[in-house]
Amino acid sequence: MENYFWNTEEHEEKTIYLLVIYDIVSNKRRNAFAKTMNGYGFRVQKSAFEAMVTKALYRKLLKEIPMMIDATEDSVRVYKLRGTGEVSLFGMNEQIKNEEVLII
């Protein structure tokens, strides 16, 4: 078992911890979605990304998602978590790197 923690209150500019999970039918849309999500955070499972972003980037992401999916057959869930938290990892997990993500 492995754990990691976050505290969005520590940063001067308030940040938001996100968990984005998705089920996108089309390979083309799914690959484009994953590529976009790599600009916000990091993949933790095949259809799940974690990210720590500013409020402005969070709003930008929420505007982008509807344009990347087909609402009649795709599903995206964005969980917004603030404050402190803990993630417990079990089984095969890639090493989580604490790195800054910049979108230009």
Side-chain angles (χ1 to χ4, degrees), residues 40-59:
Y40 286 93
F42 53 94
R43 185 188 296 261
V44 293
Q45 290 189 3
K46 288 185 179 183
S47 295
F49 278 82
E50 292 179 3
M52 191 167 301
V53 298
T54 63
K55 290 179 183 179
L57 283 178
Y58 171 68
R59 287 190 298 272

Side-chain angles (χ1 to χ4, degrees), residues 52-79:
M52 191 167 301
V53 298
T54 63
K55 290 179 183 179
L57 283 178
Y58 171 68
R59 287 190 298 272
K60 181 178 183 250
L61 176 63
L62 292 182
K63 287 180 182 177
E64 287 181 344
I65 290 174
M67 295 181 288
M68 292 186 286
I69 67 168
D70 179 342
T72 64
E73 57 184 13
D74 300 334
S75 172
V76 177
R77 297 173 73 96
V78 179
Y79 295 88

